[in-house]
Amino acid sequence: MAAEEHSPLAQFEIKPLVSLRLGDLDLSYTNSALFMTIAMVLAASFLLLATRRSALVPGRWQSMAEISYEFVANMIRDNVGQEGRKYFPFIFSLFMFVLFGNLLGMIPYSFTYTSHIIVTFAMAAVVFIGVTVIGFKKHGLHFLSFLMPAGVPIFMAPLIVPIEILSYFTRPVSLSLRLFANMTAGHTMLKVFAGFVALLGVFGVVPLLLVAALTGMELIIAFLQAYVFTILTCVYLNDALHLH
Amino acid sequence: MSRGAGLSLALRLAMELVVGFAIGIGIGVGLDYWLNTSPLFLIIFFFLGAGAGMLNVYRVATGAGQSIGYKKPPPDRNKG
């Protein structure tokens, strides 16, 4: 086997499964797209099947569906308030999509689509543009007053306004970079330590134990990053809905 | 879990700072490339980006909003 196949980064390679070209556009159905489809189907069927027979005393699956619903609903209520309720479908879909992407990546031989910055950046860009549009729709041009924090003397404006604009534009970048960096670093680290297991022979037990521990930590990170991505979306939405 | 939360806060602080610089440099280089004024905008936006990054770090560290908060959430909001 070639050395590349053992590379810890080989897992992030995008392979076209069904080639499709439209002019200069490469619209191939890749392994990344395949896992996005799987995540969508899994998330939809999980919620649909779990709530198919909605009992008063919920069973195991129904409890899980209700917990995930309440988790996101509470997050929106605590961070956005009552006005955020109409954005629940979007935020819940975002949470499930990121969470299933992170968790599917933990299955051996699978592909983690959240480990590609273009995927996370696309999601962050949708959030960023959506939140900006909501802010302008709700407050009109008054929304621009967020560029001047309360209590800033007017002669500081030429310095503060550009800094605030730049600070606003770092949002989608840091939002997407955080998810991407966490997933990529975690999966690479797992593969590197797993490589030591085979190399060290008998002493490979030590990295094997480490890999077991890291897998647990990666599961926590998968949940934590989906949570962080969603809660930051809520915070940005709150900033746009409630100006100071 | 508290250790994981602390680690993620530390990573966020570092990331906010770097992203601020990166955005500033990116916009500066882009404007220079577009207007052929190298390195005027690179210098201006480097310092603005540095300011934005430090501002973001300060805001995350003081808990005034998650990234760019303007104020703390009102305490009278019904919770639970």
Side-chain angles (χ1 to χ4, degrees):
Chain A
M1 271 192 270
E4 283 78 41
E5 287 177 43
H6 295 293
S7 159
L9 297 176
Q11 55 176 326
F12 302 124
E13 205 180 317
I14 294 213
K15 301 184 193 87
L17 301 176
V18 182
S19 280
L20 181 65
R21 287 197 152 271
L22 273 184
D24 287 340
L25 279 176
D26 189 359
L27 296 177
S28 306
Y29 191 75
T30 58
N31 49 354
S32 175
L34 173 69
F35 274 92
M36 287 183 202
T37 317
I38 294 177
M40 253 167 56
V41 170
L42 271 182
S45 50
F46 161 60
L47 289 165
L48 285 176
L49 292 177
T51 54
R52 191 183 38 171
R53 282 196 311 267
S54 44
L56 191 59
V57 180
R60 270 188 227 115
W61 286 99
Q62 198 187 331
S63 298
M64 275 164 69
E66 283 176 5
I67 285 171
S68 49
Y69 172 88
E70 271 167 24
F71 183 64
V72 178
N74 283 335
M75 200 158 30
I76 295 174
R77 194 173 51 209
D78 292 349
N79 290 292
V80 191
Q82 291 299 315
E83 286 165 84
R85 275 166 67 185
K86 60 180 169 190
Y87 303 106
F88 175 83
F90 173 70
I91 292 174
F92 187 71
S93 316
L94 197 68
F95 174 71
M96 290 310 259
F97 190 66
V98 176
L99 180 66
F100 272 72
N102 292 351
L103 287 180
L104 277 176
M106 292 308 297
I107 301 170
Y109 295 103
S110 69
F111 181 84
T112 326
Y113 57 78
T114 44
S115 67
H116 276 271
I117 191 155
I118 190 65
V119 176
T120 58
F121 187 74
M123 289 192 286
V126 168
V127 170
F128 175 74
I129 295 170
V131 161
T132 310
V133 168
I134 288 169
F136 273 114
K137 237 176 115 179
K138 189 163 182 340
H139 302 286
L141 285 179
H142 183 63
F143 181 59
L144 288 176
S145 72
F146 79 89
L147 295 176
M148 279 291 283
V152 175
I154 193 72
F155 60 87
M156 288 290 282
L159 189 61
I160 290 290
V161 170
I163 287 182
E164 287 287 344
I165 293 176
L166 274 180
S167 171
Y168 191 68
F169 276 102
T170 59
R171 280 169 163 200
V173 179
S174 68
L175 185 63
S176 57
L177 210 61
R178 187 175 302 120
L179 178 59
F180 150 77
N182 270 288
M183 298 321 289
T184 308
H187 282 258
T188 311
M189 198 163 65
L190 269 182
K191 285 281 153 65
V192 168
F193 277 103
F196 287 153
V197 177
L199 284 175
L200 289 180
V202 185
F203 300 103
V205 180
V206 182
L208 185 65
L209 289 174
L210 252 170
V211 167
L214 280 178
T215 308
M217 204 182 87
E218 271 299 297
L219 277 174
I220 295 177
I221 288 180
F223 271 105
L224 200 68
Q225 287 308 316
Y227 170 72
V228 166
F229 196 91
T230 323
I231 204 160
L232 283 177
T233 305
C234 291
V235 169
Y236 295 160
L237 189 61
N238 181 42
D239 282 348
L241 287 177
H242 306 107
L243 279 178
H244 54 88
Chain B
M1 198 59 184
S2 70
R3 200 174 155 205
L7 194 65
S8 97
L9 181 69
L11 282 175
R12 262 191 71 193
L13 288 175
M15 185 123 62
E16 295 289 349
L17 189 65
V18 174
V19 166
F21 276 83
I23 290 272
I25 292 173
I27 292 179
V29 169
L31 278 179
D32 278 338
Y33 184 78
W34 182 42
L35 300 170
N36 255 329
T37 51
S38 177
L40 176 65
F41 283 109
L42 176 60
I43 293 171
I44 296 173
F45 277 91
F46 172 79
F47 287 108
L48 289 179
M54 288 175 201
L55 191 66
N56 282 348
V57 167
Y58 174 76
R59 278 172 173 162
V60 172
T62 50
Q66 294 280 329
S67 156
I68 197 174
Y70 315 117
K71 54 165 189 181
K72 295 192 177 183
D76 56 333
R77 189 169 297 156
N78 57 329
K79 293 211 175 195

